[in-house]
Amino acid sequence: MFTCFRRMKPARTIRRTTRGPNAAAWQPRLEVLEDRLVLSPTIIATISFGSSRAGDLTANPVSNRVYAAQEDVPAIAVINGVTNAVSSIVPTLGYHTGIDADPITNRIYVAQQFAGSVRIIDGATNTVLTDLPVPGLIHTIGDLAVNPTTNRLYVIRANNNDVAVFDATSLSFLTAIPFGSPATGIAFDRGTNRVYIANPLTDRVTVIDGATNTVLTTVPVGDNPHQIGINPVSHRVYVSNIAANTVSVLDGTPGSPTENTLLFPAIPVGS
């Protein structure tokens, strides 16, 4: 069975699902948690996705919509955050490796791994606007992230060991930023205009200046970093280390004495 959890809290950009080992036995669903600061969060609803496996997901805090990938359809399920009901199904080309929402333009971006393109969905009408091809690919694309402040779209080119940067208005390709190692998760801090990318083979996080599209530094974290979440208020960067069952916490505040360093030892999160 596959269960995913999502807190509808606009102050955070943390997003990701977890997956169990027995894909054939999965019963996909979304479980919604009350957004409270409690030690034991309460499940307030369970949303069935039917027989299809569920994958990545994100939320638009402005429209109060949740977008969850259905891997076997393939499609994106649009969920009403008020009623917790699936309101629409948007078809895709499948093999979703990332999904993000721009709360300002109300556009949803879905990375389609083997199609080598990003499907762009109109969040107002739940219709497909276009498929954005990612140029210069060596095989496939990975995760993606959109920065609504600068209107930039970042797409990991998985086998190129870099990230492609697009203007999200004109959909034009701007540049590619190399970092020399395979990458998994990507996230940005709107307040600092910095992009963070997890590099699992080197156990590091690459820090990119979104203004200059240059790599500022790489930060050692835990074993096999996978996904990244950012608190844009405190500028703390949270990195899941899947081989170590820990979370590393970095200080992303520019000019801070502890900038781009681990604030404390990795936090154990399971076994």
Side-chain angles (χ1 to χ4, degrees):
M1 182 181 69
F2 167 59
T3 304
C4 60
F5 300 89
R6 178 65 173 169
R7 289 191 176 187
M8 297 291 293
K9 192 167 187 177
R12 296 189 177 186
T13 56
I14 301 173
R15 57 182 178 85
R16 191 57 52 190
T17 59
T18 56
R19 299 187 177 187
N22 300 316
W26 284 354
Q27 178 58 48
R29 66 184 189 180
L30 174 71
E31 293 192 346
V32 182
L33 306 181
E34 290 186 16
D35 193 10
R36 299 181 298 164
L37 295 177
V38 292
L39 294 179
S40 299
T42 303
I43 296 174
I44 60 175
T46 299
I47 305 166
S48 175
F49 290 158
S51 60
S52 176
R53 290 172 298 151
D56 207 356
L57 82 164
T58 193
N60 185 336
V62 175
S63 65
N64 201 7
R65 295 292 184 269
V66 178
Y67 301 87
Q70 294 182 308
E71 297 302 331
D72 298 316
V73 175
I76 301 298
V78 183
I79 300 165
N80 187 313
V82 176
T83 63
N84 294 324
V86 176
S87 60
S88 184
I89 300 292
V90 183
T92 69
L93 299 178
Y95 296 97
H96 316 101
T97 50
I99 180 170
D100 203 5
D102 186 329
I104 297 177
T105 63
N106 199 10
R107 288 186 173 185
I108 318 305
Y109 299 86
V110 183
Q112 303 172 125
Q113 182 179 18
F114 294 106
S117 64
V118 176
R119 178 146 294 189
I120 304 175
I121 300 169
D122 185 333
T125 62
N126 294 323
T127 56
V128 177
L129 294 174
T130 190
D131 284 326
L132 174 65
V134 179
L137 280 180
I138 302 175
H139 302 310
T140 64
I141 63 174
D143 200 2
L144 56 72
V146 61
N147 186 335
T149 301
T150 61
N151 213 20
R152 293 291 182 263
L153 174 66
Y154 301 88
V155 184
I156 292 175
R157 300 196 298 187
N159 301 97
N160 297 61
N161 297 337
D162 65 15
V163 59
V165 185
F166 295 85
D167 183 317
T169 300
S170 64
L171 301 183
S172 57
F173 172 73
L174 300 177
T175 189
I177 308 169
F179 38 76
S181 175
T184 49
I186 181 172
F188 68 90
D189 188 330
R190 314 177 48 167
T192 64
N193 196 13
R194 290 188 176 179
V195 183
Y196 298 84
I197 297 175
N199 305 117
L201 295 187
T202 59
D203 297 335
R204 304 178 81 89
V205 167
T206 297
V207 184
I208 294 173
D209 184 338
T212 61
N213 291 324
T214 56
V215 174
L216 295 175
T217 188
T218 62
V219 183
V221 288
D223 191 1
N224 199 350
H226 189 62
Q227 292 300 332
I228 300 175
I230 296 175
N231 185 327
V233 177
S234 66
H235 305 301
R236 289 190 173 185
V237 182
Y238 300 85
V239 184
S240 65
N241 307 303
I242 60 173
N245 298 319
T246 62
V247 172
S248 297
V249 184
L250 313 180
D251 182 3
T253 306
S256 167
T258 55
E259 178 185 2
N260 295 326
T261 61
L262 297 176
L263 291 174
F264 29 79
I267 304 168
V269 291
S271 59

